[in-house]
Amino acid sequence: LTVIKKNGERRAFDRDKLVRSIQLACRKRPIEQEQVEQAASRIVQALESGGESEIPSNEIGRLVMEELKNLDTVAYIR
């Protein structure tokens, strides 16, 4: 997968960066690492099942926000 940034730059999708971002939002919240990994897996699966090889970064952000909303309200607001 390739991520298309807002400035038009293209980068390879990095699952580890996705996990770190979710962990940052969930910092100091009662959320297990397992839940973070499962959320990241669901996001990756949704991206891969879309059939597109290039994904806009805002689409990834939308999926992350949906997962955070389901995980924890405070993490979603952060």
Side-chain angles (χ1 to χ4, degrees), residues 2-42:
T2 303
V3 178
I4 303 172
K5 308 281 252 171
K6 288 181 184 179
N7 65 3
E9 182 182 347
R10 286 171 162 67
R11 292 213 173 158
F13 178 77
D14 183 2
R15 186 181 191 283
D16 293 335
K17 184 175 179 181
L18 176 67
V19 170
R20 285 191 308 271
S21 299
I22 296 171
Q23 287 172 331
L24 182 62
C26 296
R27 190 177 69 218
K28 296 184 181 179
R29 300 298 303 154
I31 297 173
E32 300 292 325
Q33 179 62 29
E34 175 85 14
Q35 292 173 292
V36 171
E37 291 290 336
Q38 289 173 352
S41 294
R42 286 190 294 271

Side-chain angles (χ1 to χ4, degrees), residues 44-60:
V44 171
Q45 184 178 17
L47 292 172
E48 289 175 345
S49 68
E52 298 290 326
S53 62
E54 293 186 338
I55 316 293
S57 60
N58 63 344
E59 176 65 18
I60 296 171

